[in-house]
Amino acid sequence: MITEAVTIGSIVKAVGLKGEVKLLPGPDFWPGALQAHDMDLVSKEGARKRVHVEKRRAKGMTFILKLSDVQGIDEAESVVGSDLVVSLEGLAPEQLPEAPLPCQLMDLEARLPNGEVIGGVVDILLGTDQQCLVLERAGERFLVPNVPDVVVRIDLPGGFMVLDPPEGLLDLRW
């Protein structure tokens, strides 16, 4: 499955009087996303507004952004609660994330190196140090760490990943 657009975070607060906003990064955030020229602010109701980042600075685990077409505190407050969505199609290769984003892994088929299908990705547990993929097969769920020693290949256009799990890993049920 190919993901064309990614929600990189949510606008959680208006900052100052000049229309700056605070972005709380989401699971699919990567630093290069803020270099994208065009993005969409998507309101809770689904209304879209095309913007680009004029200025940005890190503030702890968040970012303070000055977005085009958001002038003054009133407009900034009106976009609080909106998601910031980036199209992957218009990005230069150096702006793309190095590894697949969590949203791109959802619904991928998981296979062993011999081609045997062992399930599909139905969820992802996001930790500070690593991710665990939640795979489902025949109504049973099991966890697989998303590390290069286990997830040896990801084919996004093909819609599958190849796993080489250590012995016993797939016997552990969640």
Side-chain angles (χ1 to χ4, degrees):
M1 175 175 83
I2 305 230
T3 304
E4 294 177 5
V6 176
T7 299
I8 62 168
S10 298
I11 305 300
V12 294
K13 183 178 179 182
V15 178
L17 300 174
K18 297 181 181 180
E20 292 181 319
V21 294
K22 183 182 279 191
L23 175 74
L24 178 63
D28 294 312
F29 177 84
W30 77 100
L34 293 177
Q35 297 172 5
H37 187 268
D38 290 324
M39 303 177 193
D40 288 321
L41 272 175
V42 181
S43 72
K44 293 176 189 174
E45 296 80 28
R48 297 179 90 82
K49 180 178 186 176
R50 181 60 48 113
V51 296
H52 68 271
V53 177
E54 294 177 349
K55 295 180 187 176
R56 65 183 172 277
R57 67 183 186 276
K59 175 96 171 160
M61 299 297 288
T62 64
F63 291 87
I64 306 300
L65 306 177
K66 176 61 180 104
L67 301 173
S68 63
D69 295 332
V70 177
Q71 308 299 323
I73 190 166
D74 292 335
E75 285 186 44
E77 286 176 346
S78 74
V79 300
V80 170
S82 297
D83 289 332
L84 193 57
V85 178
V86 174
S87 171
L88 296 178
E89 289 181 0
L91 296 179
E94 64 273 4
Q95 294 173 309
L96 291 169
E98 293 179 17
L101 299 168
C103 67
Q104 294 174 304
L105 300 177
M106 292 298 298
D107 300 323
L108 289 183
E109 183 178 82
R111 304 175 183 172
L112 294 175
N114 66 8
E116 177 189 348
V117 176
I118 58 171
V121 179
V122 295
D123 203 355
I124 301 173
L125 301 178
L126 301 170
T128 54
D129 294 325
Q130 85 176 35
Q131 302 171 357
C132 280
L133 305 172
V134 180
L135 303 182
E136 186 172 85
R137 175 179 54 192
E140 288 189 306
R141 289 185 172 200
F142 48 99
L143 296 177
V144 173
N146 186 11
V147 295
D149 289 343
V150 176
V151 181
V152 295
R153 181 172 170 226
I154 297 174
D155 184 340
L156 293 176
F160 70 92
M161 64 175 56
V162 177
L163 307 178
D164 190 11
E167 189 172 327
L169 179 66
L170 300 181
D171 296 330
L172 301 173
R173 298 293 180 251
W174 185 41

